[in-house]
Amino acid sequence: MIGFLGLDNPNVQMMALIEPLLKVIGYFVTALLRRRDLHARLHELSYHDQLTGAYNRHALAEYYEVLAMDSVGVIYCDITGLKWVNDNLGHEAGDQMICTCYETLREAVDSDKIYRSGGDEFVALCPNCTEEAFQDTIWRLRQKRRESEYHMAVGYAWSDKQPLVLEDLIVQADKLMYQDKRRYYE
């Protein structure tokens, strides 16, 4: 049941006209509510990763369009060892690894702008934060990473130079992430 539609104290002589009218109105209201719910579900699927609930790559591309910030910190993370886990322990274990790493990142970052940009990669944005606050976030992430059973390679970049070019900051953070990944495997 979605709801109900009724009429108080109807004129008995008009009932033959009122009943079909209420049915038609009910039909259209129901159709509109279902369309609204379907649109909300489609929006959710279009912008969120189904496994983790993080925003997806499409949402990150959309965010480029509305970039209006004084500063931004970018964190680029890559889950190390996901292929091995998938190959040796199964994809369910790999999915658990992805979800755990996402939660680690979510707990450390004071922003809801966390995107799963690839199978084992996440990008977190910290808009309008000071460099000191961003460094605190990086410190918290490193602490959480040490406490986690899984490892993520982490790279980061911060800027307040206008105009902010998010793509450049992501590339910079990605390069630092690869350096961190090399150090981990060494």
Side-chain angles (χ1 to χ4, degrees):
M1 179 195 261
I2 293 176
F4 65 91
L5 186 63
L7 184 64
D8 289 336
N9 301 321
N11 183 332
V12 177
Q13 297 166 337
M14 299 296 289
M15 280 305 290
L17 297 173
I18 294 172
E19 184 180 350
L21 179 63
L22 289 177
K23 285 183 180 180
V24 169
I25 291 171
Y27 170 79
F28 282 111
V29 168
T30 300
L32 288 172
L33 291 173
R34 286 188 176 144
R35 183 177 179 204
R36 177 204 62 193
D37 294 346
L38 184 60
H39 185 267
R41 178 75 177 134
L42 182 60
H43 185 271
E44 175 74 18
L45 291 172
S46 296
Y47 290 97
H48 290 86
D49 174 56
Q50 289 181 336
L51 179 63
T52 62
Y55 289 111
N56 61 21
R57 186 185 325 205
H58 179 71
L60 182 58
E62 291 284 321
Y63 194 68
Y64 285 172
E65 302 296 320
V66 295
L67 186 64
M69 297 179 277
D70 297 326
S71 65
V72 65
V74 175
I75 302 170
Y76 200 105
C77 298
D78 182 273
I79 302 170
T80 52
L82 179 61
K83 181 173 177 7
W84 184 92
V85 169
N86 279 335
D87 291 347
N88 295 286
L89 303 176
H91 287 277
E92 191 172 312
D95 288 351
Q96 181 59 45
M97 183 181 196
I98 292 167
C99 290
T100 300
C101 288
Y102 169 67
E103 287 302 316
T104 299
L105 183 58
R106 200 171 63 81
E107 290 170 5
V109 175
D110 291 332
S111 172
D112 66 340
K113 304 281 188 251
I114 301 175
Y115 304 84
R116 185 171 175 204
S117 60
D120 60 354
E121 298 173 332
F122 290 97
V123 174
L125 303 179
C126 301
N128 297 317
C129 69
T130 65
E131 189 170 10
E132 294 77 21
F134 184 65
Q135 291 299 327
D136 288 345
T137 298
I138 297 302
W139 183 85
R140 272 193 317 276
L141 178 57
R142 287 182 174 153
Q143 288 298 112
K144 294 280 184 191
R145 181 176 69 175
R146 280 188 209 105
E147 297 166 5
S148 177
E149 62 185 298
Y150 303 117
H151 183 270
M152 289 186 292
V154 176
Y156 54 92
W158 180 88
S159 181
D160 62 354
K161 292 182 177 66
Q162 298 295 330
L164 292 171
V165 182
L166 192 56
E167 294 91 348
D168 292 347
L169 291 170
I170 290 173
V171 167
Q172 184 181 348
D174 183 41
K175 286 179 183 176
L176 291 174
M177 180 275 299
Y178 276 109
Q179 290 175 8
D180 188 42
K181 193 173 195 174
R182 267 193 303 278
R183 281 191 300 273
Y184 171 76
Y185 282 116
E186 289 172 356

